[in-house]
Amino acid sequence: MPPQEQADLWMALRDRMKVDWHEMTLQEKKAAYWIAFGPHGPRALPPKGEGLKIFNYTMIGVAVSFALFLAIRSLSGPPPGTMTKEYQEMTNEYLRSQNVEPITGLSSEGYSGKGQVQSAPKKP
């Protein structure tokens, strides 16, 4: 149906909907419902294959991100000296000697956590 005809039909139906709905025919009620809630515009059904297309583009994005991560990681230097278990254990001892976080932290009585240790031992 041409856009001009659609607009004319919609205007006529809109004027008809201003009257009492009990006076409208069943066909007019169905047309009004379809215009208000039908599968068109933002409520239109997605085209076939759209879900697969979205999945594919998402996987391409993830693959590009992973490749970029690996490229940056391969160009980086070795981890800093502070990222060894020995250094982090020395940091724990220093924090205990300075009485840092005496209520719930490393210097508290009965503390059983790892403190600052998060790395593996230094490789020889």
Side-chain angles (χ1 to χ4, degrees):
M1 182 180 280
Q4 182 59 39
E5 234 178 278
Q6 288 177 0
D8 292 340
L9 180 64
W10 189 85
M11 294 298 259
L13 192 57
R14 189 185 68 170
D15 293 338
R16 187 75 177 117
M17 286 191 309
K18 290 179 182 175
V19 300
D20 186 16
W21 277 59
H22 295 291
E23 297 174 14
M24 292 174 64
T25 65
L26 183 61
Q27 189 174 5
E28 288 173 333
K29 289 179 187 177
K30 286 182 179 180
Y33 182 86
W34 191 88
I35 287 173
F37 303 108
H40 54 82
R43 291 176 298 278
L45 297 174
K48 285 258 188 221
E50 185 177 26
L52 182 62
K53 185 178 175 182
I54 291 171
F55 177 77
N56 288 339
Y57 280 122
T58 302
M59 288 299 111
I60 289 170
V62 168
V64 167
S65 299
F66 187 68
L68 185 62
F69 169 78
L70 290 178
I72 292 172
R73 184 80 182 217
S74 69
L75 297 174
S76 68
T82 58
M83 292 300 292
T84 63
K85 185 174 184 177
E86 294 78 15
Y87 186 91
Q88 293 163 0
E89 286 172 346
M90 288 189 299
T91 302
N92 280 347
E93 292 306 317
Y94 175 76
L95 292 173
R96 280 191 194 101
S97 70
Q98 297 295 316
N99 201 22
V100 174
E101 289 196 62
I103 298 173
T104 60
L106 200 61
S107 299
S108 65
E109 279 186 39
Y111 180 76
S112 61
K114 298 187 303 185
Q116 302 296 316
V117 178
Q118 61 182 353
S119 301
K122 187 176 183 180
K123 296 177 184 172

